[in-house]
Amino acid sequence: MTRHLSLEELQEGRSGILLSPEDRGILRAIVIRPEVEARLSLQQCELSPEGGVHGDNWAKGCWMSLPDGRPHPDVQVTIMNARTIALIAQDEARWPLAGDNLFVDLDLSAENLPPGTRLSVGSALLEITAVPHKGCRKFAQRYGVDATRFVNSRDGLRLHLRGIYARIVERGVVAVGDAVEKL
């Protein structure tokens, strides 16, 4: 079993996260949640405004809905910094437990990617939304209480260490290794 890092150990690793590129990064991993608590890592995946991240349970309904009951497009895609999850999870096999769809080597901070910023990933176009993404009870169970404190701290929220949400503006295919470009 993997030992959860202490808050001090996580804070020591923060400097590596801050080295993430600002304008052009790399897609390091793709994960879908075909059903609650299930995870599947993919090498490539289609994204569309109608279906979200294809194969992910977002399209079946999620925690945030439109008035007509359809899943809300502002939470179609969850994106997490690959350096952050590498630090917290310690083993790439544990990255999918976070439940995020795209793990990118890119600065996700509020200063670098405010809501409305567009990202090109593979042939898809995404737009960052204003919905906050925070560490929760499940995140704490999977990675430890200190990991949740780390991502939910004032600095962690500013840097979006837990990740960000995006909507799909233009359909496309994304693959591990694709460039992630701020437009």
Coordinates of all heavy atoms in Angstrom, one line a residue, residues 33-34 48-53 55-64 66 70-77 101 165-166 168:
R33 N -14.4 7.6 -16.7 CA -15.1 6.9 -15.7 C -16.4 6.3 -16.3 O -17.4 6.9 -16.4 CB -15.5 7.9 -14.6 CG -14.3 8.6 -13.9 CD -14.6 9.9 -13.3 NE -15.3 10.7 -14.4 CZ -15.8 11.9 -14.1 NH1 -15.9 12.4 -12.9 NH2 -16.4 12.6 -15.1
P34 N -16.3 5.0 -16.8 CA -17.5 4.5 -17.5 C -18.7 4.3 -16.6 O -19.8 4.3 -17.0 CB -17.0 3.1 -18.0 CG -15.6 2.9 -17.4 CD -15.2 4.1 -16.8
S48 N -16.6 15.6 -27.5 CA -17.6 16.3 -28.3 C -18.5 17.1 -27.3 O -18.7 16.7 -26.2 CB -18.5 15.4 -29.2 OG -19.3 14.6 -28.4
P49 N -19.1 18.2 -27.8 CA -20.0 19.0 -27.0 C -21.2 18.1 -26.5 O -21.7 18.3 -25.4 CB -20.4 20.1 -27.9 CG -19.3 20.3 -28.9 CD -18.8 18.9 -29.1
E50 N -21.7 17.2 -27.3 CA -22.8 16.4 -27.0 C -22.5 15.3 -26.0 O -23.3 15.0 -25.1 CB -23.5 15.8 -28.3 CG -23.7 16.8 -29.4 CD -22.5 17.1 -30.2 OE1 -21.6 16.3 -30.4 OE2 -22.4 18.3 -30.6
G51 N -21.4 14.6 -26.2 CA -21.0 13.4 -25.5 C -20.0 13.6 -24.4 O -19.7 12.7 -23.7
G52 N -19.4 14.8 -24.3 CA -18.3 15.0 -23.4 C -17.1 14.2 -23.8 O -16.8 14.1 -25.0
V53 N -16.4 13.6 -22.8 CA -15.3 12.7 -23.1 C -15.9 11.4 -23.3 O -16.5 10.8 -22.4 CB -14.4 12.7 -21.8 CG1 -13.2 11.7 -22.1 CG2 -13.8 14.1 -21.5
G55 N -17.3 7.9 -23.5 CA -17.1 6.7 -22.6 C -17.2 7.1 -21.2 O -17.3 6.2 -20.3
D56 N -17.1 8.4 -20.9 CA -17.1 8.9 -19.5 C -18.6 9.0 -19.0 O -19.4 9.3 -19.9 CB -16.4 10.2 -19.3 CG -16.2 10.6 -17.9 OD1 -15.4 10.0 -17.2 OD2 -16.9 11.6 -17.5
N57 N -18.8 8.8 -17.8 CA -20.2 8.8 -17.3 C -20.8 10.2 -17.2 O -22.0 10.3 -16.9 CB -20.4 8.0 -16.0 CG -19.7 8.7 -14.8 OD1 -19.1 9.8 -14.9 ND2 -19.7 8.1 -13.7
W58 N -20.1 11.2 -17.5 CA -20.6 12.6 -17.5 C -21.9 12.6 -18.4 O -22.9 13.2 -17.9 CB -19.6 13.6 -18.1 CG -20.3 15.0 -18.3 CD1 -20.4 16.0 -17.4 CD2 -20.9 15.4 -19.5 NE1 -21.1 17.0 -17.9 CE2 -21.4 16.7 -19.2 CE3 -21.1 14.9 -20.8 CZ2 -22.0 17.5 -20.2 CZ3 -21.7 15.7 -21.7 CH2 -22.2 16.9 -21.4
A59 N -21.9 12.0 -19.5 CA -23.1 12.1 -20.4 C -24.3 11.4 -19.9 O -25.4 11.7 -20.3 CB -22.7 11.5 -21.8
K60 N -24.1 10.5 -18.9 CA -25.3 9.8 -18.3 C -25.9 10.6 -17.2 O -26.9 10.2 -16.6 CB -24.8 8.5 -17.7 CG -24.2 7.5 -18.7 CD -23.7 6.3 -18.0 CE -22.9 5.4 -18.9 NZ -22.2 4.3 -18.2
G61 N -25.3 11.7 -16.8 CA -25.8 12.6 -15.8 C -24.7 12.8 -14.7 O -23.9 11.9 -14.5
C62 N -24.7 14.0 -14.2 CA -23.6 14.2 -13.2 C -24.1 15.1 -12.1 O -25.3 15.5 -12.1 CB -22.4 14.9 -13.9 SG -22.6 16.5 -14.5
W63 N -23.3 15.5 -11.2 CA -23.6 16.3 -10.0 C -24.2 17.7 -10.4 O -24.9 18.3 -9.6 CB -22.5 16.4 -9.1 CG -21.3 17.1 -9.6 CD1 -20.3 16.6 -10.4 CD2 -21.0 18.5 -9.5 NE1 -19.4 17.6 -10.7 CE2 -19.8 18.8 -10.2 CE3 -21.7 19.6 -8.9 CZ2 -19.2 20.0 -10.4 CZ3 -21.1 20.9 -9.0 CH2 -19.9 21.1 -9.7
M64 N -23.9 18.2 -11.6 CA -24.4 19.5 -12.0 C -25.2 19.4 -13.2 O -24.6 18.9 -14.2 CB -23.2 20.4 -12.1 CG -23.5 21.9 -12.4 SD -22.0 22.9 -12.3 CE -22.5 24.3 -13.2
L66 N -28.4 20.9 -16.1 CA -29.1 22.0 -16.6 C -30.6 21.9 -16.1 O -31.0 20.9 -15.6 CB -29.1 22.0 -18.1 CG -27.7 22.2 -18.8 CD1 -27.8 21.9 -20.3 CD2 -27.2 23.6 -18.6
R70 N -30.3 17.7 -18.3 CA -29.1 17.2 -19.0 C -27.9 17.6 -18.2 O -27.9 18.6 -17.4 CB -29.0 17.8 -20.4 CG -30.1 17.3 -21.3 CD -30.0 17.9 -22.7 NE -30.3 19.4 -22.6 CZ -29.6 20.3 -23.2 NH1 -28.6 20.1 -24.0 NH2 -29.9 21.6 -23.0
P71 N -26.8 16.8 -18.3 CA -25.6 17.2 -17.6 C -25.0 18.5 -18.0 O -25.2 18.9 -19.2 CB -24.6 16.1 -18.0 CG -25.2 15.3 -19.1 CD -26.6 15.6 -19.1
H72 N -24.5 19.3 -17.1 CA -24.1 20.7 -17.4 C -22.8 20.7 -18.2 O -21.8 20.0 -17.8 CB -23.9 21.4 -16.1 CG -24.0 22.9 -16.3 ND1 -23.1 23.6 -17.0 CD2 -24.9 23.8 -15.8 CE1 -23.4 24.9 -17.0 NE2 -24.5 25.0 -16.3
P73 N -22.7 21.4 -19.3 CA -21.5 21.4 -20.1 C -20.3 22.1 -19.4 O -19.2 21.9 -19.8 CB -21.9 22.2 -21.4 CG -23.1 23.0 -21.0 CD -23.8 22.2 -19.9
D74 N -20.5 22.9 -18.4 CA -19.4 23.5 -17.7 C -18.6 22.6 -16.9 O -17.5 22.9 -16.4 CB -19.9 24.7 -16.8 CG -20.2 25.9 -17.5 OD1 -20.1 26.0 -18.8 OD2 -20.7 26.9 -16.9
V75 N -19.0 21.3 -16.8 CA -18.2 20.3 -16.0 C -18.0 19.1 -16.9 O -17.8 18.0 -16.4 CB -18.9 20.0 -14.7 CG1 -18.9 21.1 -13.7 CG2 -20.3 19.4 -14.8
Q76 N -17.9 19.3 -18.2 CA -17.7 18.2 -19.2 C -16.4 17.5 -19.0 O -16.3 16.2 -19.1 CB -17.8 18.6 -20.6 CG -19.2 18.8 -21.1 CD -19.2 19.3 -22.6 OE1 -18.4 20.1 -23.0 NE2 -20.1 18.7 -23.3
V77 N -15.4 18.3 -18.8 CA -14.0 17.7 -18.8 C -13.3 18.2 -17.5 O -13.4 19.4 -17.2 CB -13.2 18.2 -20.0 CG1 -11.8 17.6 -20.0 CG2 -13.9 18.0 -21.3
N101 N -10.2 13.6 -16.2 CA -10.2 13.0 -17.5 C -8.8 13.2 -18.2 O -8.3 12.3 -18.8 CB -11.3 13.7 -18.4 CG -12.6 13.5 -17.9 OD1 -13.4 14.4 -17.6 ND2 -13.1 12.2 -17.7
Y165 N -12.2 22.7 -14.5 CA -13.2 22.1 -15.4 C -13.2 22.9 -16.7 O -12.8 24.1 -16.8 CB -14.6 22.3 -14.8 CG -15.0 21.4 -13.7 CD1 -15.0 21.8 -12.3 CD2 -15.3 20.1 -13.9 CE1 -15.3 21.0 -11.3 CE2 -15.6 19.2 -12.9 CZ -15.6 19.7 -11.6 OH -15.9 18.8 -10.5
A166 N -13.6 22.2 -17.8 CA -13.7 22.8 -19.1 C -14.9 22.3 -19.8 O -15.4 21.2 -19.5 CB -12.4 22.5 -19.9
I168 N -16.4 21.5 -23.8 CA -15.9 21.2 -25.2 C -16.6 22.2 -26.1 O -17.8 22.2 -26.3 CB -16.2 19.8 -25.5 CG1 -15.4 18.9 -24.5 CG2 -15.7 19.5 -26.9 CD1 -15.9 17.4 -24.5

